[in-house]
Amino acid sequence: MSLAARIPERMDDVGETPLILATKSGIVEIVEEILRLYPQAVEHVDDEGRNVLHVAIKYRELKIFELVTKMEVPMKRLVRKIDNEGNSILHTVGVKRKDFVSEKMEGPAFLLQEELLWFERVEKVTPPHFISHHNSQNLSAECLFITANSELRSSAKEWMKSTAEGSSVVAVLIATVAFAAAYTVPGGPNQSTGVPVLVNKPFFVVFTVSDVLSLTFALTSVVTFLSILSSPFRFKDFKHTLPNKLMAGFTFLFLSVAMMMVAFGSTIFLTIYNKENWAKVTLYTVSFIPVCIFALSYFPLYSSLSKTYKYLLENFPLTKLVLSKPCTMMSKCLKCCQVQTSESHIP
């Protein structure tokens, strides 16, 4: 018996079709194999009237969603499917399964950002006249999404505020230390002229530049975190604006810590300039321990924020043009080169 004969067309036959069950379980390999051997299975629906696209969106299976959206002919019908409750595929973004738990242990702001990216992703493949469609509860997809994620938005707002407040305190402390260090230069000033005693030492320039940069980066970080605290915290702000500000603030904060450690190391070198080299290397290494700890502690946060820039890069128009039509662009370049070559041989 062939695979096509063994696969039921509706859930009423055995409870769930293999395609729907594999989609819920997130088993991409089985979904690919079913669609390869039996492409008609993509039309199957469950007892709630949901097709594979509805299920992939509800269970947040991105790979399966992208796999189905590449099927151009079935997609024209799948995106127009309305389930038994009147929900379109865009409504399904606001419908989560009750036992849904994110696989990544992230802050609520990143969870909300992921939901917003899902809404944007599905909205791009939704026909325009289905975007304003109302379900049986007389809710549009956007209203349903806002209602479903209102609690998550409140949690994300509190998390973002507490993170910005704590980080701004650290940035202010670093700025205070850097500002004070500018008036207490290593070795002190000359009592008669007021010029620093160690001004001619090579590490004095390093100390001056690093201290100024540390103060600059710290103050920039403070301003960035204050802009987060003064934000209206709208839904759309959590998609790109607030994560970008948070990443910029942490970047400037990290740079200010690094520059402060460079200034500290330069101060130590100036005070023990005539000591052995091994002592300099040891002190220089020890002075950068806080920088390493800071970088390691915030690496998970940076990895979470990096997905925003990855998504933006993938959806940037120029990037999509280059990636989708590399052969066309290359052929045009070759034709231009051939024309120029032929013209150069014309007497």
Side-chain angles (χ1 to χ4, degrees):
M1 184 181 295
S2 64
L3 179 63
R6 294 198 304 266
I7 297 180
E9 294 187 357
R10 294 188 59 86
M11 287 183 60
D12 298 338
D13 299 329
V14 294
E16 286 183 341
T17 64
L19 180 62
I20 298 296
L21 182 60
T23 303
K24 287 184 177 181
S25 303
I27 308 176
V28 184
E29 295 79 7
I30 295 180
V31 174
E32 291 178 344
E33 189 68 14
I34 292 175
L35 295 179
R36 184 181 67 85
L37 297 176
Y38 188 56
Q40 295 84 350
V42 76
E43 304 286 351
H44 291 174
V45 295
D46 59 13
D47 57 352
E48 297 181 1
R50 297 172 180 172
N51 57 29
V52 63
L53 206 56
H54 287 87
V55 177
I57 296 171
K58 180 180 179 180
Y59 285 81
R60 301 298 188 263
E61 298 296 340
L62 180 58
K63 292 183 179 180
I64 298 177
F65 173 80
E66 293 176 345
L67 176 65
V68 176
T69 53
K70 292 178 181 178
M71 306 173 67
E72 297 182 2
V73 176
M75 272 294 293
K76 295 179 180 179
R77 297 187 296 272
L78 294 177
V79 295
R80 290 173 169 81
K81 178 64 178 176
I82 303 297
D83 66 9
N84 297 343
E85 297 180 357
N87 293 321
S88 64
I89 59 171
L90 193 57
H91 281 88
T92 312
V93 182
V95 180
K96 299 180 184 178
R97 66 180 193 268
K98 296 180 180 180
D99 59 341
F100 175 77
V101 178
S102 179
E103 296 180 357
K104 300 178 181 179
M105 300 302 293
E106 299 176 341
F110 300 120
L111 295 178
L112 181 57
Q113 181 194 28
E114 187 176 353
E115 294 298 309
L116 290 167
L117 292 178
W118 261 105
F119 190 88
E120 180 183 352
R121 193 179 292 118
V122 177
E123 188 178 21
K124 289 182 178 180
V125 300
T126 303
H129 55 281
F130 276 89
I131 294 178
S132 58
H133 170 75
H134 288 64
N135 60 7
S136 57
Q137 299 176 351
N138 199 25
L139 292 175
S140 64
E142 185 176 1
C143 292
L144 180 61
F145 179 84
I146 292 175
T147 303
N149 292 281
S150 58
E151 185 177 350
L152 181 60
R153 174 180 170 271
S154 300
S155 301
K157 178 180 178 180
E158 295 300 324
W159 181 88
M160 189 71 73
K161 278 188 173 182
S162 61
T163 303
E165 288 174 356
S167 301
S168 60
V169 171
V170 176
V172 169
L173 291 176
I174 295 175
T176 304
V177 173
F179 185 81
Y183 291 93
T184 55
V185 294
N190 191 309
Q191 297 298 328
S192 58
T193 61
V195 178
V197 176
L198 303 176
V199 68
N200 295 322
K201 300 294 182 180
F203 276 101
F204 190 84
V205 177
V206 177
F207 164 78
T208 305
V209 173
S210 59
D211 186 68
V212 171
L213 289 177
S214 178
L215 178 61
T216 303
F217 288 140
L219 293 178
T220 306
S221 177
V222 171
V223 173
T224 305
F225 288 127
L226 288 179
S227 67
I228 294 177
L229 294 174
S230 60
S231 173
F233 295 98
R234 298 167 296 184
F235 267 97
K236 63 180 182 180
D237 295 333
F238 285 95
K239 184 164 60 175
H240 298 305
T241 305
L242 290 176
N244 290 349
K245 288 182 179 180
L246 188 63
M247 188 170 189
F250 278 124
T251 301
F252 287 122
L253 182 59
F254 173 78
L255 291 175
S256 66
V257 173
M259 291 299 101
M260 186 178 66
M261 291 299 100
V262 172
F264 171 76
S266 302
T267 304
I268 299 299
F269 288 162
L270 288 170
T271 55
I272 60 168
Y273 190 75
N274 295 324
K275 299 295 181 181
E276 299 294 335
N277 290 332
W278 65 267
K280 298 178 183 179
V281 174
T282 303
L283 290 172
Y284 190 75
T285 304
V286 171
S287 65
F288 271 90
I289 290 179
V291 179
C292 298
I293 295 176
F294 184 86
L296 291 175
S297 61
Y298 282 96
F299 179 77
L301 180 62
Y302 267 84
S303 62
S304 300
L305 290 169
S306 63
K307 68 181 180 183
T308 303
Y309 297 95
K310 181 180 179 181
Y311 180 78
L312 289 175
L313 183 62
E314 291 176 351
N315 290 272
F316 190 66
L318 182 60
T319 306
K320 293 173 69 176
L321 178 63
V322 173
L323 294 178
S324 61
K325 298 182 179 179
C327 297
T328 305
M329 297 178 65
M330 183 63 69
S331 61
K332 289 182 179 180
C333 293
L334 291 175
K335 288 181 180 179
C336 292
C337 294
Q338 291 175 358
V339 171
Q340 292 177 359
T341 305
S342 60
E343 290 178 353
S344 62
H345 290 288
I346 297 176

